[in-house]
Structures are given as structure tokens and as C-alpha cells.
Amino acid sequence: MTQTTTVGSADLVLRQIEAQAENRFLPIIGPAKGKYLAEEVRKAKPTRVLEVGTLIGYSAVLMGKEMAPNSELVTIEIHREEAKVAGENIMKANIPAYVKIITGNALDVIPTLEGTFDFAFIDAEKSEYLQYLNLAEPKLHAGTVVFADNAGVFADQMADYLEYVRNSEAYKSRYIQVGEDGVEISQKIK
Ligand SMILES: C[S@@+](CC[C@H](N)C(=O)[O-])C[C@H]1O[C@@H](n2cnc3c(N)ncnc32)[C@H](O)[C@@H]1O
């Protein structure tokens, strides 16, 4: 008897990007930390997600795959070429979420965004994490989960961000070590 395994197009795109990332040293979140990201999105059931740092769309596909139809993922990428490739990968992945890619500097773009976000994934310039969060805060609400990548290897560059989410009364924050790196998951509580 032969057994066939059906791999959805999103999974296929994720595996292709993982292979490219390994060859070209692209800093995608990857499958190990990505498992936590997907799990948090699955738990939060967000209608609207903000991503800072698209690169070529790996984390956007990973999150968008867990989101419901009619949900929206807004992702910001400073480099035009990366944003273009991300658009192609996201199209191929055929995920349920509608994805809007904005090319620009997140520091300029975030203040122009309308509406609120139920989940945010921060993964761009490490020394700017706190600025991204502070700019996004008026658009977050109690319950919004803010997931920050590289809280292990780049803890020094992100020190102000980590200090803020860990000590602010507005957040309940936890660090998860994953291999040599880690992620900081902060839930806005007020
Ligand atoms: C670590 S990569 C993102 C990886 C992606 N989240 C993933 O896991 O597949 C960081 C990305 O942030 C982008 N970036 C850096 N500074 C930025 C800024 N100020 N605004 C928007 N994008 C920025 C970089 O060009 C790069 O593509």
C-alpha cells in the first residue's frame, strides 16, 4: 500500500525559503523559533496582525497560514527588492489571510497605519524595537500579543526594549530560549 502525504502550498513555500535562507544566510525566524510564533498566532486568533521586517515573506506565510479568512496581515519592509520577492512568495503560498506589504521605513510607516492590531511581530532593526513598539502602541489594545525575535542573540541591542516590556505595568512578558537565541512574548494587559 502506498501512502501519500499532501503538503499544502504554504508548507512548500516555507520549505523553499528555509533552503534559500540556508544557502544565502538570510535571517528568517526559521522553523524552531517559528514554531512558537505560529503557536502564539494560533492561540491569539488575530483578525489583524502587524509585522515589522518582512524580508522575503517567511514569517508572513508562517503567520498568515494560521490566520482565518477575512483576517489581515500588514507587513513593512524597507527594501523594495525583498518586498517584491515576499509578494511572490506570499502569492504562491495561498494563505487564508489577506497580506498587505508596505515598502518603507517602519519608523515612518507605523504612524500612518489606521485601525488596531491584535498581534504584532517585531523583527527588523534590533536597536529600533522600542521605537516600533512605542509608535504602534496607540493601535494596540489590552490582549494584543507582541512577539519579538532575537531576544537572545541581540539582547544587548534590544536592551531598552526588553527592559520596557519586562518592567512596564502595561505588559506581561516572558522570554523563551530556543537553541542559542530566544523570543520575547509580551501581552498588553492594559
Ligand atoms: C530579520 S529580517 C526579517 C525576517 C522575517 N521576519 C522572517 O522571519 O522571515 C529583518 C528585515 O527587516 C528589514 N528592516 C530593517 N529595518 C527596517 C525598518 N526600519 N523598516 C522596515 N524594515 C526594516 C530588513 O530589510 C530585513 O528584511
Side-chain angles (χ1 to χ4, degrees):
M1 199 170 87
T2 44
Q3 248 192 351
T4 45
T5 313
T6 313
V7 181
S9 44
D11 288 313
L12 212 59
V13 170
L14 290 172
R15 298 298 89 78
Q16 284 169 354
I17 302 177
E18 283 162 12
Q20 283 173 29
E22 206 160 301
N23 289 335
R24 296 168 47 204
F25 305 105
L26 297 176
I28 61 167
I29 187 167
K33 288 181 290 170
K35 184 169 80 73
Y36 291 93
L37 179 61
E39 200 175 286
E40 288 302 316
V41 172
R42 211 175 299 132
K43 276 200 303 203
K45 299 186 176 58
T47 300
R48 219 156 164 249
V49 171
L50 171 65
E51 176 177 61
V52 186
T54 320
L55 193 61
I56 61 166
Y58 181 83
S59 47
V61 171
L62 198 67
M63 292 189 283
K65 181 175 173 282
E66 302 300 333
M67 293 166 67
N70 299 322
S71 61
E72 184 187 36
L73 166 62
V74 177
T75 181
I76 310 170
E77 172 53 51
I78 201 165
H79 291 126
R80 195 160 294 281
E81 187 51 35
E82 266 86 351
K84 182 171 163 278
V85 178
E88 291 161 6
N89 283 328
I90 290 162
M91 283 287 279
K92 270 194 283 179
N94 197 24
I95 50 181
Y98 169 75
V99 181
K100 181 174 181 181
I101 305 173
I102 303 177
T103 307
N105 186 333
L107 297 174
D108 302 325
V109 174
I110 296 170
T112 70
L113 298 175
E114 287 181 2
T116 59
F117 294 93
D118 314 301
F119 193 98
F121 175 48
I122 305 183
D123 191 19
E125 173 55 44
K126 308 306 153 189
S127 61
E128 293 177 351
Y129 275 28
L130 184 57
Q131 291 179 74
Y132 305 142
L133 178 62
N134 288 157
L135 291 170
E137 268 173 334
K139 302 159 214 296
L140 310 183
H141 54 78
T144 296
V145 174
V146 184
F147 191 112
D149 192 17
N150 303 121
V153 288
F154 291 119
D156 284 354
Q157 286 97 312
M158 293 166 59
D160 56 352
Y161 176 87
L162 295 173
E163 206 269 333
Y164 181 73
V165 290
R166 289 172 185 173
N167 298 310
S168 164
E169 285 182 358
Y171 292 90
K172 192 164 165 253
S173 199
R174 68 190 205 277
Y175 172 74
I176 302 178
Q177 181 80 34
V178 187
E180 288 174 1
D181 197 2
V183 297
E184 186 78 14
I185 306 172
S186 314
Q187 182 159 37
K188 202 161 188 308
I189 48 176
K190 58 173 149 177

